Amino acid sequence: MPEQPGTDEHRPPVRLERDGVVATVVIDRPEALNALSPDVLRAIADAFDALRNEADAVRGVIVVGEGGRAFVAGADIRSLSTLTPDEGAEAARLGHRVAAAIEAFPAPVIACVDGFALGGGLELALACDLIYATESSWFGQPEVRLGLIPGFGGTVRLPRAVGLSLAKELIFTGRRIDAAAAESAGLVARRFADRDALLAGARATIDEVSANAWTAVALAKRVLVDAAGTPTATATEFEVAGFADAFRTHDMREGVAAFIEKREPEFSGR
């Protein structure tokens, strides 16, 4: 979805950019602080659907908001204001569809947060594999201040990221935390001085990942996503299955042979 000419009214709310092995999904609605309207959610899902068709060539995805003030400041409240309960359920399912598309994508996905990641914005970031943030970023689930609860996965993924106690505190109070507190809580993996350093850091991580066996990275992500939140006995079975699948790959044979022969491996992604 390349950016098309025209007025803001006709500008696609999401654009998909590619640079070598890195793809970038840009939420381009800065006039609304990149709020997640149904059109924006569908466009994000479409971007990941498009990337699935070229997954062998993509080693990492960056998700970022345009404008410098917000990653995503939340769901589009105007679009929610008139919904019936059934329509509310459908809106939540659309948000979950986006999160599922991100989690199902085989390559690591990094949310690059610069500014506000609130409500649906935090939930979008939580669906990604890593959250990187600038020092000026803020995080929170303020839905209760509107008479709502998180609807795009916040009650599920936030406790996994920061623990149940802190997740409850953030959700019950609607409180915001800054990037330093988010990093301390384990929500943010790394902090950066500014947007340029943020994007460069995400790119460097993807370059580092891409040097490894692609099959192993994809298997590791699959196991981590599938096992999250399951009982230990179930989670370890997911790991056993993934470990066994690694032995079916050419990359595993090449990696082990290279180690024994004291040379650099030449991974093929098979």
Side-chain angles (χ1 to χ4, degrees):
M1 285 176 289
E3 187 172 4
Q4 298 175 4
T7 66
D8 287 353
E9 181 182 356
H10 300 99
R11 187 182 68 235
V14 173
R15 66 179 189 270
L16 180 55
E17 301 173 348
R18 300 166 181 82
D19 181 12
V21 298
V22 180
T24 302
V25 176
V26 183
I27 304 166
D28 189 10
R29 202 183 175 212
E31 68 282 356
L33 297 180
N34 301 318
L36 297 177
S37 68
D39 286 345
V40 173
L41 288 167
R42 282 188 285 267
I44 296 171
D46 289 347
F48 277 92
D49 287 344
L51 287 171
R52 288 287 297 191
N53 296 325
E54 51 189 278
D56 289 344
V58 176
R59 293 294 179 262
V61 180
I62 293 169
V63 180
V64 66
E66 194 64 274
R69 294 180 60 200
F71 171 71
V72 169
D76 189 311
I77 303 305
R78 291 186 182 278
S79 69
L80 299 178
S81 62
T82 60
L83 298 185
T84 66
D86 287 346
E87 290 169 338
E90 286 305 309
R93 290 190 181 98
L94 178 56
H96 288 295
R97 175 191 159 198
V98 172
I102 293 170
E103 290 186 331
F105 192 74
V109 181
I110 302 177
C112 284
V113 175
D114 182 25
F116 296 113
L118 304 175
L122 178 52
E123 291 169 303
L124 176 64
L126 285 164
C128 300
D129 298 295
L130 298 170
I131 301 176
Y132 286 0
T134 61
E135 297 286 2
S136 58
S137 297
W138 291 85
F139 302 83
Q141 298 281 178
E143 287 87 350
V144 293
R145 298 183 179 185
L146 300 174
L148 293 167
I149 70 167
F152 296 168
T155 62
V156 177
R157 294 185 183 89
L158 187 58
R160 294 176 186 170
V162 303
L164 184 59
S165 182
L166 179 56
K168 286 181 176 179
E169 183 178 58
L170 293 175
I171 290 170
F172 294 166
T173 63
R175 185 180 301 159
R176 300 175 184 179
I177 58 174
D178 63 16
E183 183 182 42
S184 179
L187 177 62
V188 166
R190 293 179 65 191
R191 284 184 290 149
F192 298 86
D194 55 35
R195 184 183 182 89
D196 288 344
L198 170 72
L199 294 173
R203 175 66 195 240
T205 294
I206 294 172
D207 287 343
E208 187 175 354
V209 168
S210 68
N212 297 322
W214 170 237
T215 51
V217 172
L219 280 171
K221 175 169 178 175
R222 189 189 77 191
V223 171
L224 286 162
V225 169
D226 289 348
T230 65
T232 299
T234 302
T236 53
E237 284 305 308
F238 281 121
E239 183 178 88
V240 168
F243 190 72
D245 284 345
F247 284 82
R248 298 184 172 93
T249 69
H250 175 273
D251 280 351
M252 177 269 173
R253 302 299 172 188
E254 167 61 15
V256 170
F259 179 84
I260 293 171
E261 297 165 11
K262 295 182 172 57
R263 61 175 174 81
E264 289 298 315
E266 296 182 7
F267 295 122
S268 63
R270 295 183 288 113

